[in-house]
Amino acid sequence: MNNLQAVGCEVAPYCSGDNELELEKALLSAGKRTGVTLAAKEEYTPDNDSIIALAAVYVLVKYLSLSSEREGEWSQGYNDKLKERIAFLCRTANVPVEEFMPDTVIRLTHASNRF
């Protein structure tokens, strides 16, 4: 198994792992943040679990805004377990969960009641 496949394992079942460019970009970003460069096709080793986990977090946080997705005959729904998975991966990567999943709720208001 190579590093790219390892990231794919961590994002399953929320992301199919078919988008190699997305996974490779996340792996490069995780490597930059940690100061360690992992080649996508390099052999996976458990010593790099924290970098692989961080790359998976970069991929999965993009799915938080979705409740489900449908593409042709294929569909997938999401639930709160995605947040739990991201929190677990953050702990594995030794990064604060709050950085990727802030507790604050953004409220949008409009000024139409002021006129």
Side-chain angles (χ1 to χ4, degrees), residues 33-102:
R33 179 175 172 146
T34 59
V36 177
T37 303
L38 292 182
K41 302 297 182 183
E42 183 179 296
E43 187 68 21
Y44 163 76
T45 174
D47 295 336
N48 297 324
D49 275 349
S50 62
I51 300 166
I52 299 294
L54 182 58
V57 169
Y58 282 137
V59 172
L60 292 178
V61 295
K62 294 189 277 181
Y63 291 88
L64 283 174
S65 62
L66 301 174
S67 60
S68 66
E69 66 179 295
R70 182 172 190 84
E71 187 175 321
E73 296 291 320
W74 180 84
S75 67
Q76 180 167 317
Y78 301 103
N79 57 28
D80 289 334
K81 298 294 182 186
L82 176 58
K83 290 182 180 182
E84 292 176 21
R85 179 68 180 150
I86 292 170
F88 170 79
L89 289 167
C90 284
R91 288 190 300 275
T92 301
N94 296 317
V95 295
V97 176
E98 299 78 23
E99 183 178 336
F100 295 97
M101 292 188 313

